[in-house]
Amino acid sequence: MSNECSEEMLFCAIGDEARRRIIKLLLKKGEMETNQLVGELLKSDPLIAGVGWHLRILERSGIVERRFDPAAPIMFDKFYHVNKEKLKEALDLIENYVNELKKSFEEVEES
């Protein structure tokens, strides 16, 4: 998968509350195995749905990466972690848009 990702994909990835919770959890805990990640999320919100879907969106955006551990007890077990460079890119993008909007807003307010 390419590391190139559209701005829209980054906004989509971090625009959902469930995905932001996944990012926060992975930042706090580091790398997590799929079942461990789902279990932690369900403890804090038993109604969270579609964790796999959210992980795929985060992975496609490049913000979350996965690896397979052939030595894991479950064959093809997946482990997820945050790609901090891509997350910083997304945060910088948001900051730039916020600054642009503030500037536009201030120009309208002044006129």
Side-chain angles (χ1 to χ4, degrees), residues 27-99:
L27 285 170
K28 180 180 177 183
K29 301 277 187 167
E31 187 174 73
M32 295 179 76
E33 184 269 328
T34 307
N35 291 329
Q36 179 188 24
L37 177 60
V38 171
E40 286 285 323
L41 290 167
L42 288 174
K43 274 197 279 187
S44 62
D45 183 1
L47 300 178
I48 194 168
V51 175
W53 170 253
H54 293 302
L55 285 168
R56 281 191 294 281
I57 291 172
L58 288 167
E59 189 177 2
R60 285 184 188 135
S61 74
I63 292 173
V64 167
E65 296 176 333
R66 75 176 162 173
R67 71 173 182 84
F68 293 96
D69 184 358
I74 300 173
M75 191 173 177
F76 304 114
D77 216 353
K78 294 177 269 193
F79 293 81
Y80 291 91
H81 64 274
V82 172
N83 175 341
K84 293 178 183 172
E85 279 184 30
K86 188 56 94 169
L87 179 58
K88 181 172 180 353
E89 179 184 329
L91 296 174
D92 290 345
L93 182 66
I94 291 169
E95 184 177 13
N96 290 338
Y97 276 116
V98 167
N99 290 336

Side-chain angles (χ1 to χ4, degrees), residues 1-53:
M1 177 184 298
S2 169
N3 280 344
E4 294 303 313
C5 171
S6 71
E7 292 179 357
E8 289 81 14
M9 178 64 84
L10 289 173
F11 278 118
C12 177
I14 59 175
D16 182 88
E17 181 181 350
R19 290 191 282 274
R20 289 191 304 271
R21 289 183 50 228
I22 291 169
I23 293 167
K24 287 178 191 176
L25 182 59
L26 288 172
L27 285 170
K28 180 180 177 183
K29 301 277 187 167
E31 187 174 73
M32 295 179 76
E33 184 269 328
T34 307
N35 291 329
Q36 179 188 24
L37 177 60
V38 171
E40 286 285 323
L41 290 167
L42 288 174
K43 274 197 279 187
S44 62
D45 183 1
L47 300 178
I48 194 168
V51 175
W53 170 253

